[in-house]
């Protein structure tokens, strides 16, 4: 039995019950009508693109956010903040402080009014809708759902009879639609599709899904069917189309996704404009060579992440080895040579993306929040494709550091870029909003959909990838098993997993042993830990008794018959680790960083006499943990000793001082201040600040 | 008699002579045929736009590069380097290393080939042609002229029968021409017009001029005549059209320039796209309110400078007081609150332009070379409009510092941005070329046309604005006067002016007394000099005898009967000045800078034990001059004493040391190194570099 089909049915049952109880209009709650019935997973079907004989019943699938209840002390408050604060800010900015919703209203009226804002602004509406959809699962909110429905009505009203939907061209002149690849028409369409799929998943309402299907059909008819060359100027639609394929079972969306991938790296001909590729060169848009020949990470980081996520999605279905090989090589290029310790990527603001290998400046680090969100997407797909936990290691690093840093603890301030060092300059702190507002809704939808990244399953195995307090139900061969994970992670590394089934059932639990718990900072050793002082090992107990376990692909394998209320416990020692970068990373020469569990630390001025740049540390071995808070966020701070160079008239003097490091994601919440992740262990020179 | 008419006739005579001698094809050397005969200055003519009754015979006009021979020890080598090195690099990059010339060849063939590069690339060809034109005056070079003629043939062949000329749209699809205001079609047209005017001025050849006239007519017919709303997305054509008007006397070009100015700040309606304005908002393109209501400097700095230059050009003819008042207010906003000490403008790379008042970071200073070139343009126009030397003060500051810094001493390396402080980071130095290659040709055309910025004249007065060794001839009431300026400026402040006429002639010489020689660092006191230690005053002698002189608008007025071979000498004391910024400029708090004459200094690592950031100075009073070289550039260095904070194990110690400062424009010629213009006088904190 297919666990996705199970969980889908479970979900539909809940939806139908809600409809019956009057919570939802019954008509909207109905599943998609046959023959385009929603099909989760990769069930074989006549007329499908795939040679279904190759379908692998044991392939790994994520358990979806809709089937996971988050109870976690770390994440649940953040999800609630997204639901109650961040999404309200998104709504305020989208409806009142910008013309984003007005554009849909104007497009629906078709009376010649002017478009407000930027050509990609529609996508922010869709991304906010997607985040609302995920959030409604964790935090049902009739007012929020009513707002989403109101927006969806406006979106639907703006769609043209032929399925086209883009307020920019509807208002600026439809004669120019589909003439400039930069103009994000397919990018916006992709976000619409993602929102539609998510909203249908949560609410069972299909109005937005129908809009998305009509638009996807329009695009398919415009490009793939006549095979009119076209490249998505900002990738995104590829991964969205795979979602639509999985939901509807209609293989034209999979074919269209694959067709989009195949268009890249073939040049673009007469009669087409592609502004950004012209300005920055085709590498900016990953368009130098066909995707299957790509081996280097280039250009705009968000574009790259969305592309490779889509590639992995298609490859997971088509098993195209050329795609798989390209993904492997490009991934190594990212992780081995071009990733920050925070899991952030894209060091340069000039192209919002990649430069040359090992060019990882700290103050200048761009590390766009959206690129980190994309890293989470891509690494999830790579993990599912390969079953290798190294991808989850990268995912987790990015999630807890580079991505989470994009959202303030208060939920209503954002970073677009996430540098690893900062000088206290006016206006450099977190911002309320951005003209190009991709990041706030992006981090919102990631946090709100966290449930999708915790578990994966096939018919015989359950993978636990992230340790997040939560419940889910899986379909084992012998019947359903309920799982409940209890943990203070990442505050400590003790995780309890209660396995509940009606009767004893044989099933394999695969518990991820993070790279950091195996003394590997990152795959490829761009960053390395200093040797540990202690010798604590990863331990697993079942029902209180230590067990021996074997390890496969970075997972502890617990293959056993689970009795009702069995409790597995994994204990991941979390010593403070000193991190050093490869010598090739000039920016981190003679520096150390601190990490504990998945959390990367920084030194920020408010905890350190107003200065984060004058501290000379040794090797990090004198740091100790201290449980405390940053605002209302419970954290483990690290306290150690250092020499501070303190002004004395015309010189400075070394003053022994205590140093406090806090989790990187918590910085810039108390003020716009100095901060450093990488701390100097020697003085090459000093810069005098006035 | 109108001195411009005189010098024009003089030029035409030279051209005609050259043609008669066979140096030029006679047909091309002919002046423009009547009734569109070229008309310099603002001679009244029936049917002109102007109410010619208001024409002011005494209005100030610049003496043109074509009528000035540069002999200067500082500038002439730079002009020769532009002629022999920089322009060769431009040609190499334009012809071989990019598709810029190929685009014209393809457009001429009309066989459906693809455009290479960016939509504004045509402008680089035109700007290089303009620089070649100026350079051919200073440094005649048949091979360079042949290359220019070859390019001009290719440009002409690419023009469409209706006059339209833009390789991007010709190759990408003419159905989309004039639909996106961002696409620089009028910007490219403006640069074509400027090149055509310059090439006609130097060579008398009119092929490119005819192309430019056809294109200008096409634009006029497309927009102004039917009054179809259109805004120049990147201003430039306005100032170019005024040049075309001055050359041809055809008032439709003046009307078109004025019409372009009048289009701004009126919104843009349905059916038009304007990508950059949408992305960055209308302030980016100076399009928030109509030009006559503008009072704040906003947005993209180069756009702003070109716009206001065009406004001043139109206002000089139409005497529109609303334009004049807007210019005055915007200029004060630039100079009083938003200009670097180097005369550079546009502090932010994000919008390549202006941010908020006093936001003038040093390391992050964008200060695009092209914006400095535009500052020179605009301030020249403002000086001519008003006769006030404060505009020349700003022009000179920008010319000798922010602009000249864009060109390496070798002539083949360039800065796009010109920061006032730099950390030695790999790849941060001068570059061979840029994808967007506006800056190299822009600084080339400025240096090659330096002759146009030295003198201005009306019927009774000669203004000497810049002190550059040179010769020119002016038309005085009693006959021509030959002038020869001899000076080592800016190495010292002694300037000899030999006045030669066949017989004694009464004429007024107006010698600029720079603001820096009157203890004013900049108009508006954004920067101030510390009080001087000495009391040396500006002195003027005629034929060796000191004279008393009166000062008007910042000029020493020498109104006398000039005998043959009279020599006037002005002596501008050049003490080292300590500069401080207003407290509002947080970036320069507790810092000083050094200036001598018009030259701003910096401290660069190669002269200072490899470090420019660890030096604590006092007040600059202990600095002394030393004549020396940077590579083969003769300079006056400044040497003083400071405390260097030098690493000693886990701390730093203050070490008394000598400090050498060099002219800012000479930095980054020996290595990619640390540099600072603003030097700390106290230690607030230190940053440890590893």
């Amino acid at each position: 039995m297919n666990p996705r089909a199970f969980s889908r049915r479970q979900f539909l049952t809940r939806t139908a019950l809600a409809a019956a109880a009057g919570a939802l209009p019954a008509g909207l709650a109905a599943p998609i009508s046959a023959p385009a019935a929603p099909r989760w997973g990769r069930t074989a079907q006549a007329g499908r693109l795939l040679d279904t004989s190759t379908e692998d019943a044991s392939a790994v699938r994520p358990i979806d956010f809709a089937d996971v209840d988050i109870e976690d002390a770390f994440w649940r408050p953040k999800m609630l903040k997204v639901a109650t604060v961040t999404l309200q800010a998104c709504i305020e900015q989208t409806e009142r402080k910008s013309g984003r919703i007005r554009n849909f209203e104007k497009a629906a009226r078709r009376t010649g009014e002017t478009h407000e804002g930027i050509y990609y602004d529609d996508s922010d509406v869709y991304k906010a809708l997607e985040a609302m959809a995920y959030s409604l699962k964790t935090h049902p909110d009739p007012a929020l759902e009513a707002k989403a429905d109101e927006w969806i009505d406006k979106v639907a009203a703006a769609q043209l009879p032929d399925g086209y939907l883009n307020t920019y061209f509807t208002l600026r002149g439809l004669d120019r639609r589909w003439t400039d690849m930069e103009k994000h028409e397919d990018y916006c369409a992709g976000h619409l599709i993602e929102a539609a799929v998510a909203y249908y998943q949560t609410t069972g309402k299909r109005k937005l899904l129908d809009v998305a299907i009509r638009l996807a059909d329009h695009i398919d008819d415009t490009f793939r069917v006549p095979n009119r060359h076209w490249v998505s100027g900002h990738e995104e639609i590829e991964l969205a189309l795979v979602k639509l394929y999985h939901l509807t079972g209609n293989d034209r969306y999979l074919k269209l996704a694959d067709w989009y991938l195949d268009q890249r790296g073939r040049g673009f001909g007469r009669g087409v404009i592609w502004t950004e590729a012209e300005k920055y060169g085709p590498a900016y848009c990953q368009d130098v060579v066909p995707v299957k020949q790509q081996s280097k990470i280039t250009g705009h980081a968000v574009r790259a992440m969305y592309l490779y996520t889509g590639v992995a999605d298609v490859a997971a279905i088509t098993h195209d080895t050329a795609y798989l090989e390209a993904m492997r090589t490009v991934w190594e290029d990212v992780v081995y040579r071009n990733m920050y310790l925070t899991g952030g990527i894209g060091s340069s603001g000039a192209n919002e993306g990649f430069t040359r290998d090992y060019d990882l400046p700290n103050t200048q680090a761009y590390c766009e929040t959206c690129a980190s969100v994309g890293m989470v997407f891509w690494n999830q797909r790579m993990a599912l494709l390969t079953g290798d936990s190294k991808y989850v290691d990268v995912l987790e690093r990015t999630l807890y550091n580079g991505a989470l840093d994009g959202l303030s603890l208060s939920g209503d301030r954002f970073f677009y870029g996430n540098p690893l060092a900062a000088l206290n300059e006016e206006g450099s702190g977190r911002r309320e909003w951005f003209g190009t507002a991709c990041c706030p809704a992006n981090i919102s939808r990631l946090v709100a959909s966290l449930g999708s990244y915790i578990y994966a399953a096939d018919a015989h195995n359950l993978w636990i990838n992230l340790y997040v307090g939560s419940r889910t139900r899986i379909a084992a061969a012998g019947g359903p098993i309920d799982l409940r994970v209890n943990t203070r992670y990442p505050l400590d590394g003790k995780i309890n997993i209660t396995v509940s089934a009606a009767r004893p059932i044989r099933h394999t639990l695969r518990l991820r042993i993070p790279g950091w718990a195996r003394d590997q900072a990152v795959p490829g050793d761009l960053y390395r830990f200093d040797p540990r002082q202690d010798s604590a090992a990863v331990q697993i107990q079942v029902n209180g008794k230590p067990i021996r376990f074997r390890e496969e692909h970075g997972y502890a394998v617990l293959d056993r018959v689970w009795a009702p209320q069995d409790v597995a416990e994994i204990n991941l020692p979390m010593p403070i680790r000193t991190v050093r970068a490869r010598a090739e990373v000039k920016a981190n020469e003679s520096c150390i960083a601190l990490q504990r569990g998945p959390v990367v630390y920084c030194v920020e001025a408010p905890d350190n006499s107003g200065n984060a740049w004058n501290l000379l540390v040794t090797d990090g071995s004198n740091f100790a943990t201290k449980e405390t808070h940053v605002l209302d966020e419970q954290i483990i701070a690290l306290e150690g000793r250092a020499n501070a160079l303190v002004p004395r008239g015309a010189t400075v003097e070394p003053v022994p001082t205590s140093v406090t490091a806090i989790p990187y994601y918590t910085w810039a919440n108390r003020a716009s201040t100095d901060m450093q992740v990488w701390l100097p262990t020697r003085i090459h020179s000093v810069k005098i600040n006035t």
Side-chain angles (χ1 to χ4, degrees), chain A residues 45-366:
Chain A
Q45 187 180 11
R48 298 279 293 276
L49 176 71
L50 308 172
D51 174 3
T52 54
S53 64
T54 66
E55 293 242 339
D56 178 2
S58 69
V60 188
R61 297 171 186 85
I63 294 186
D64 190 88
F65 75 95
D67 300 315
V68 176
D69 290 314
I70 308 280
E71 305 172 323
D72 195 63
F74 183 87
W75 283 106
R76 186 164 173 83
K78 293 177 175 58
M79 298 170 81
L80 291 181
K81 204 150 269 180
V82 163
T84 56
V85 178
T86 317
L87 287 177
Q88 295 309 314
C90 285
I91 291 168
E92 172 78 2
Q93 293 285 350
T94 305
E95 277 192 337
R96 291 212 317 120
K97 296 193 174 169
S98 78
R100 285 170 171 81
I101 292 294
R102 281 193 298 275
N103 283 334
F104 284 97
E105 296 166 351
K106 291 174 183 175
R109 285 196 289 267
R110 293 170 179 66
T111 53
E113 294 162 283
T114 302
H115 182 272
E116 297 172 66
I118 317 174
Y119 49 79
Y120 40 65
D121 279 357
D122 287 359
S123 68
D124 295 325
V125 175
Y126 303 143
K127 224 165 1 178
L129 275 171
E130 186 188 348
M132 291 182 202
Y134 300 138
S135 182
L136 287 172
K137 164 64 179 63
T138 315
H139 185 75
D141 176 346
L144 188 70
E145 188 165 333
K147 177 56 69 182
D149 288 335
E150 177 195 328
W151 283 13
I152 288 168
D153 288 343
K154 290 177 182 178
V155 168
Q159 188 167 39
L160 298 184
D162 70 355
Y164 185 80
L165 177 49
N166 184 293
T167 69
Y168 182 83
F169 283 105
T170 299
L171 294 172
R172 286 245 178 266
L174 280 166
D175 53 319
R176 284 191 301 273
R177 68 181 183 176
W178 303 122
T179 61
D180 182 350
M181 292 176 185
E182 166 57 21
K183 286 290 191 289
H184 285 53
E185 286 160 284
D186 20 38
Y187 171 90
C188 289
H191 278 303
L192 168 60
I193 294 166
E194 284 204 273
V197 170
Y199 202 68
Y200 181 79
Q201 279 181 275
T202 298
T203 65
K205 297 178 186 174
R206 54 177 291 166
K207 183 167 191 173
L208 193 63
L209 184 60
D210 287 336
V211 171
I213 286 171
R214 279 193 296 270
L215 177 54
D217 290 348
H218 163 83
I219 295 173
D220 198 42
D221 290 338
T222 303
F223 294 110
R224 185 186 65 91
V225 173
N227 200 24
R228 168 181 158 193
H229 178 55
W230 181 259
V231 185
S232 55
H234 191 311
E235 303 93 324
E236 148 64 21
I237 195 170
E238 303 83 356
L239 73 91
L241 286 166
V242 177
K243 287 189 176 182
L244 189 60
Y245 159 75
H246 281 308
L247 180 65
T248 64
N250 188 337
D251 68 1
R252 79 183 292 191
Y253 308 125
L254 177 60
K255 285 178 182 167
L256 181 56
D258 199 34
W259 181 89
Y260 261 114
L261 297 179
D262 195 48
Q263 298 296 298
R264 304 198 90 76
R266 307 194 183 284
F268 60 111
R270 184 174 165 77
V272 175
I273 286 174
W274 189 357
T275 311
E276 297 307 282
E278 295 159 23
K279 266 194 190 172
Y280 300 113
Y284 177 80
C285 303
Q286 300 78 44
D287 194 52
V288 177
V289 295
V291 174
K292 289 174 185 176
Q293 297 165 28
Q294 294 185 12
S295 59
K296 294 288 294 173
I297 189 77
T298 68
H300 188 264
V302 180
R303 282 171 166 83
M305 291 305 103
Y306 287 180
L307 167 64
Y308 298 131
T309 301
V311 172
D313 281 338
V314 170
I317 304 169
T318 63
H319 303 293
D320 189 314
T321 53
Y323 278 145
L324 295 172
E325 181 56 24
M327 286 305 86
R328 194 188 60 73
T329 318
V330 174
W331 184 87
E332 288 183 355
D333 195 43
V334 175
V335 174
Y336 291 10
R337 291 174 288 276
N338 293 287
M339 183 180 75
Y340 283 94
L341 185 63
T342 56
I345 51 166
S347 58
S348 168
N351 65 345
E352 300 192 304
F354 296 93
T355 57
R356 60 186 193 285
D357 288 348
Y358 305 110
D359 176 35
L360 296 162
N362 291 309
T363 312
Q364 297 303 313
Y366 194 67

Side-chain angles (χ1 to χ4, degrees), chain A residues 239 243 309 312-313 377-385 453:
Chain A
L239 73 91
K243 287 189 176 182
T309 301
D313 281 338
F377 292 167
W378 185 28
N379 279 285
Q380 181 202 33
R381 299 336 196 255
M382 294 300 287
L384 294 168
L385 257 177
Y453 299 89

Side-chain angles (χ1 to χ4, degrees), chain A residues 490-603:
Chain A
L491 296 185
D492 68 42
K494 199 172 119 183
I495 301 109
N496 270 290
I497 303 149
T498 306
V499 185
S500 306
R503 55 187 176 80
I505 291 179
R506 181 170 201 98
H507 204 73
T508 305
L509 245 60
R510 293 174 183 264
L511 308 181
R512 176 170 153 265
I513 302 177
W516 57 258
R518 285 178 286 110
D519 295 327
Q520 185 189 48
V522 290
D525 287 345
L526 179 59
Y527 308 104
R528 294 194 193 100
F529 292 144
D530 279 2
R532 280 204 287 180
Q533 307 303 312
D534 69 331
S535 58
V538 174
Q539 288 186 325
I540 297 180
Q541 299 184 330
V542 174
N543 297 328
K545 288 179 194 149
I547 61 161
R548 295 193 170 206
F549 58 91
R550 74 173 199 279
E551 207 179 311
E552 278 180 18
H553 305 302
Y555 293 85
V557 181
L558 276 63
D559 179 14
R560 54 177 282 145
V561 176
W562 296 94
Q565 297 301 322
D566 272 356
V567 177
E569 181 181 304
I570 180 165
N571 215 312
L572 304 168
M574 276 195 184
I576 300 166
R577 305 307 300 263
T578 299
V579 192
R580 295 178 203 264
R582 287 186 73 99
E584 290 89 337
V585 187
K586 297 292 179 207
N588 300 337
E589 203 174 324
S590 304
C591 288
I592 61 160
L594 298 168
Q595 180 176 338
R596 181 176 173 276
V599 175
V600 173
Y601 281 75
C602 70
V603 167

